[in-house]
């Protein structure tokens, strides 16, 4: 692989890489505002300037400038190297680049910072970006001087509603154009643009339009400062109180990698942010996915019920025992659910096929919905591919309704409360639902056992591309909820069986090591799909 030198360090690069991208791959940050690895490079912020040393025999690129001599108070002509934007310059074999170690680069970064802050309101105490703002970070790293301008700064519009989700503060904007380029290049809806010139520049929405659609939250995410905020998150939390868990969006079968930000003091989730994964979602998420963090709290089942009334866990399990005593195994159906992890579904499949010895295995999930060719998949479940791997012969929810109506199935153990279609036909069966969320099945179930949501335990999901990805635990279990695979073990015990699983590690070992010969019904699962998530 070809290499170049950055401040004396050897940096490998792929042909066509810019200096900033090659450095970024090595975990070296060259300060930048307008550059984003997923967008085109306009090279307009000038924060990434670097010095490129001439090759032997090459004439250096330099500029004639006037510099103030502090001793005489006069300007004198001097020369300085012409700095180049690292976000635009293509890396070349043997190139010698100076960043942190060049006094000219240090001066340029300082001056760009000072220029950007000339009219900036510096209202950090009331700004949602405080704590994760590039202006703050780079001031500390590259400027550290107080404001010299004493004139009234230029005032621009604040609190402008760009649409139903995003609010714009023009005074905080550094005009990097990332939001414009995101809407143009990724969302394919060029609804944002820049107007005016110089210090009157501001971002504007196309006349007659508003910033709307399925990808508005990403404009806030790419904004390096506090100019764009989401109505959902603004003024809700200070980011330094939040912790983050590597998660996987549960909104559809794409399985976008995400950071789930939560406040451990209140056991409360506050937002999702995309977690970069070139193979799945690159740097992006959709609005529906970004808002789906709310499902960590909304519509949750947190306590057991028997016949719709609150009950203790023991009373619920006693009822399970009573319900299943003497029921022939062929009358019991097991309903897997594509919203639940591989571990949860594996446990239910194990109960069905190994302990009970039934082949009445069915699969459920949320109904299909909107899709596009950017990220959003029509399958609104995060683990449909996992169910297909675990139980390729599972029958459909419609089949279950048919078997219940024909009297072949009288009892159902189900994962999840939602269904792809009207579940009313299950009223004729005795249903035990192990669910994290309320839904038609929890409403008609005789016994409901609360399961932890994806945010409260570590779980594996197989996305539409067949990649296994792990969503890690963020929150503590709410109420009496437990991971569904534990609830399945309790149900198995109540039914009179001895479950073989008691630890997540054991289930994962089964999932990785299971050979087709060991479990005739089970497939061989790929061991690694997403290295970053595993
Ligand atoms: S609003 Fe943010 S992303 Fe858009 S140009 Fe201004 S600083 Fe850049
Ligand atoms: S595309 Fe699907 S997985 Fe990705 S953020 Fe949206 S809902 Fe979530
Ligand atoms: S990152 Fe803005 S000019 Fe290079």
């Amino acid at each position: 692989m070809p290499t170049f030198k950055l401040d004396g360090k050897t940096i490998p690069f792929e042909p066509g890489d810019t200096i900033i991208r090659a450095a970024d791959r090595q975990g070296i940050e060259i300060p930048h505002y307008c550059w984003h690895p997923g967008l085109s490079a306009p090279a307009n912020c000038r924060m990434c300037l670097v010095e490129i040393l001439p090759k032997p025999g090459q004439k250096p690129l330099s500029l004639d400038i006037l510099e103030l001599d502090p001793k005489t108070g006069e300007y004198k002509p001097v020369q300085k190297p012409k700095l180049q934007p690292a976000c635009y310059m293509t890396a070349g074999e043997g190139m010698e680049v100076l960043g942190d170690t060049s006094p000219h680069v240090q001066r340029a970064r300082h001056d760009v910072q000072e220029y950007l802050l000339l009219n900036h309101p510096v209202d950090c105490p009331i700004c949602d970006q405080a704590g994760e703002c590039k202006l703050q970070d780079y001031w500390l790293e590259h400027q550290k001087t107080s404001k010299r301008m004493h004139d009234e700064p230029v005032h621009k519009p604040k609190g402008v509603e760009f649409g139903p989700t995003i609010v714009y503060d023009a005074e905080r904007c550094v005009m990097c154009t990332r939001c414009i380029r995101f809407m143009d290049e990724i969302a394919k809806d060029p609804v944002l643009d820049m107007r005016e010139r110089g210090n009157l520049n501001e971002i504007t929405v196309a006349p007659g339009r508003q910033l709307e659609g399925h990808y508005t939250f990403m404009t806030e995410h790419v904004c390096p400062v506090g100019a764009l905020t989401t109505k959902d998150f603004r003024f809700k939390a200070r980011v330094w109180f939040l912790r983050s868990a590597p998660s996987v969006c549960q909104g559809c079968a794409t399985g976008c990698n995400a950071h789930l930000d939560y406040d451990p003091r209140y056991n409360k989730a506050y937002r999702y942010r995309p977690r970069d994964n070139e193979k799945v979602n690159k740097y992006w998420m959709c609005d529906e996915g970004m808002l789906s963090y709310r499902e960590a709290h909304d519509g949750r089942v947190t306590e057991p019920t028997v016949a719709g009334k609150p009950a203790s866990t023991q009373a619920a399990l006693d009822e399970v025992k009573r319900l299943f005593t003497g029921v022939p195994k062929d009358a019991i159906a097991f309903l897997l659910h594509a919203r639940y992890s591989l571990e949860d579904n594996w446990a239910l499949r194990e109960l069905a096929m190994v302990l009970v010895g039934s082949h009445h295995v069915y699969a459920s999930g949320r109904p299909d919905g909107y899709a596009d060719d950017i990220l959003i998949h029509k399958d609104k479940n995060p683990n449909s591919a996992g169910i297909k791997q675990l139980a390729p012969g599972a029958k459909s929810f419609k089949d279950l309704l048919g078997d219940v109506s024909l009297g072949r199935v009288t009892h159902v153990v189900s994962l999840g409360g939602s269904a792809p279609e009207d579940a009313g036909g299950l009223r004729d069966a005795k249903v035990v639902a192990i669910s994290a969320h309320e839904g038609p099945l929890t409403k008609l179930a005789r016994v409901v056992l609360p399961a932890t949501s994806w945010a409260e335990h570590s779980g594996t999901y197989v996305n539409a591309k067949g990649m296994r990805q792990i969503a890690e635990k963020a929150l503590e279990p709410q109420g009496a909820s437990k991971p569904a695979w534990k609830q399945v073990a309790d149900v198995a015990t109540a039914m009179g069986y001895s479950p073989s699983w008691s630890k997540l590690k054991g289930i994962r070992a089964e999932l990785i090591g299971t050979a087709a010969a060991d479990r005739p019904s089970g497939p061989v699962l790929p061991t690694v799909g997403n290295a970053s998530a595993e």
Side-chain angles (χ1 to χ4, degrees):
M1 202 180 228
T3 61
F4 69 93
K5 286 243 155 69
L6 175 61
D7 293 323
K9 286 192 200 91
T10 302
I11 311 283
F13 67 93
E14 286 166 18
D17 270 355
T18 53
I19 294 170
I20 203 170
R21 183 181 287 275
D24 187 59
R25 280 214 196 91
Q26 298 305 306
I28 299 172
E29 189 192 52
I30 295 175
H32 58 276
Y33 287 104
C34 68
W35 181 73
H36 185 287
L39 300 172
S40 62
N44 70 355
C45 76
R46 316 312 276 181
M47 191 64 192
C48 69
L49 293 178
V50 289
E51 185 176 345
I52 300 175
L53 298 180
K55 291 201 167 137
Q58 211 177 36
K59 197 166 168 280
L61 270 178
S62 57
L63 286 177
D64 294 321
I65 58 162
L66 289 174
E67 195 168 73
L68 185 69
D69 184 340
K71 283 192 197 127
T72 61
E74 301 285 326
Y75 282 97
K76 56 176 188 188
V78 293
Q79 282 204 320
K80 76 172 199 60
K82 186 167 178 352
L83 304 180
Q84 310 286 336
C87 66
Y88 209 77
M89 286 300 294
T90 311
E93 174 68 44
M95 212 179 219
E96 292 247 9
V97 182
L98 300 183
D100 296 343
T101 54
S102 160
H104 299 289
V105 170
Q106 288 169 7
R107 167 89 192 266
R109 290 173 182 172
H110 174 282
D111 290 355
V112 169
Q113 268 295 121
E114 188 172 25
Y115 164 75
L116 287 176
L117 287 170
L118 268 188
N119 291 302
H120 193 84
V122 200
D123 51 358
C124 310
I126 54 154
C127 177
D128 262 312
Q129 194 82 3
E132 52 185 5
C133 173
K134 285 293 180 194
L135 271 172
Q136 285 184 332
D137 295 349
Y138 291 158
W139 180 88
L140 199 63
E141 285 169 38
H142 305 292
Q143 186 187 359
K144 280 195 187 147
T145 52
S146 47
K147 207 167 189 167
R148 287 186 291 166
M149 188 184 84
H150 298 298
D151 297 338
E152 182 69 13
V154 174
H155 289 294
K156 295 200 245 182
K158 291 178 87 71
V160 183
E161 293 202 15
F162 269 4
T165 56
I166 300 290
V167 178
Y168 176 58
D169 183 324
E171 291 189 344
R172 293 180 188 154
C173 177
V174 295
M175 297 299 153
C176 69
T177 71
R178 280 185 182 188
C179 54
I180 298 175
R181 283 175 284 134
F182 174 83
M183 288 309 295
D184 192 1
E185 296 165 14
I186 308 296
K188 309 287 181 213
D189 182 12
V191 69
L192 296 180
D193 210 335
M194 190 189 271
R195 73 170 170 215
E196 300 294 352
R197 284 282 184 271
N199 62 13
L200 297 180
N201 262 169
E202 65 180 89
I203 302 300
T204 187
V205 185
R209 287 287 315 275
Q210 53 177 357
L211 179 56
E212 62 193 340
H214 294 277
Y215 295 94
T216 63
F217 275 58
M218 280 302 96
T219 60
E220 182 272 345
H221 179 67
V222 296
C223 183
V225 299
L228 294 177
T229 47
T230 63
K231 290 184 187 174
D232 181 65
F233 183 70
R234 61 195 252 120
F235 310 136
K236 298 253 171 74
R238 306 277 26 189
V239 295
W240 47 87
F241 290 127
L242 301 183
R243 298 291 172 272
S244 206
S247 192
V248 175
C249 177
Q250 306 284 298
C252 79
T254 303
C256 292
N257 292 201
H259 297 284
L260 182 57
D261 292 344
Y262 64 100
D263 191 330
R265 298 172 304 169
Y266 311 121
N267 202 35
K268 184 167 163 31
Y270 277 88
R271 66 175 179 181
Y272 257 148
R273 284 176 296 124
R275 192 159 50 92
D276 301 351
N277 187 331
E278 271 293 335
K279 296 198 184 99
V280 182
N281 50 311
K282 295 193 167 61
Y283 314 93
W284 323 119
M285 286 177 75
C286 74
D287 286 6
E288 290 77 6
M290 290 286 277
L291 283 174
S292 67
Y293 77 88
R294 292 175 176 170
E295 291 176 6
H297 304 290
D298 290 354
R300 286 294 317 283
V301 172
T302 56
E303 301 299 333
T305 59
V306 173
K309 300 216 167 51
S312 67
T313 301
Q314 192 52 55
L317 291 172
D318 288 347
E319 179 66 4
V320 171
K321 185 176 178 186
R322 193 188 69 74
L323 281 179
F324 284 89
T325 301
V327 177
K329 67 178 187 186
D330 284 344
I332 308 174
F334 297 85
L335 187 57
L336 307 179
H337 201 292
R339 199 182 172 186
Y340 286 73
S341 69
L342 269 187
E343 294 84 350
D344 295 341
N345 281 294
W346 177 89
L348 189 58
R349 190 199 72 169
E350 199 75 355
L351 170 60
M353 293 179 143
V354 177
L355 297 181
V356 177
S358 160
H359 282 270
H360 278 324
V361 175
Y362 302 79
S364 180
R366 289 188 282 200
D368 284 355
Y370 172 84
D372 64 24
D373 55 7
I374 301 172
L375 277 182
I376 304 173
H377 202 285
K378 73 173 181 339
D379 177 0
K380 299 301 163 194
N381 298 285
N383 203 20
S384 299
I387 300 258
K388 284 202 187 84
Q389 291 183 350
L390 276 178
K395 290 182 268 181
S396 69
F397 189 78
K398 195 185 268 309
D399 292 336
L400 176 62
L401 293 176
D403 286 347
V404 169
S405 72
L406 292 173
R408 287 190 195 134
V409 165
T410 56
H411 290 65
V412 179
V413 181
S414 94
L415 264 185
S418 55
E421 56 193 283
D422 184 9
L426 290 191
R427 274 204 189 83
D428 297 335
K430 303 276 184 305
V431 177
V432 172
I434 297 167
S435 185
H437 291 93
E438 289 161 359
L441 264 65
T442 59
K443 286 202 178 73
L444 56 76
R446 176 75 198 165
V447 178
V448 177
L449 291 163
T452 44
S453 79
W454 90 102
E456 295 152 48
H457 61 244
S458 178
T460 310
Y461 303 84
V462 186
N463 74 0
K465 288 184 179 165
M467 300 164 74
R468 293 178 63 201
Q469 307 190 100
I470 292 180
E472 292 294 359
K473 171 181 165 157
L475 306 175
E476 291 305 317
Q478 298 180 57
S481 59
K482 292 188 206 174
W485 58 264
K486 278 193 184 165
Q487 295 284 29
V488 175
D490 289 348
V491 166
T493 307
M495 289 168 80
Y497 300 103
S498 302
S500 61
W501 64 97
S502 59
K503 294 235 168 4
L504 184 67
K505 221 166 126 190
I507 298 180
R508 287 199 169 149
E510 289 277 339
L511 286 169
I512 291 170
T514 301
D518 298 330
R519 295 272 181 276
S521 55
V524 181
L525 296 168
T527 51
V528 177
N530 167 17
S532 75
E534 295 259 341

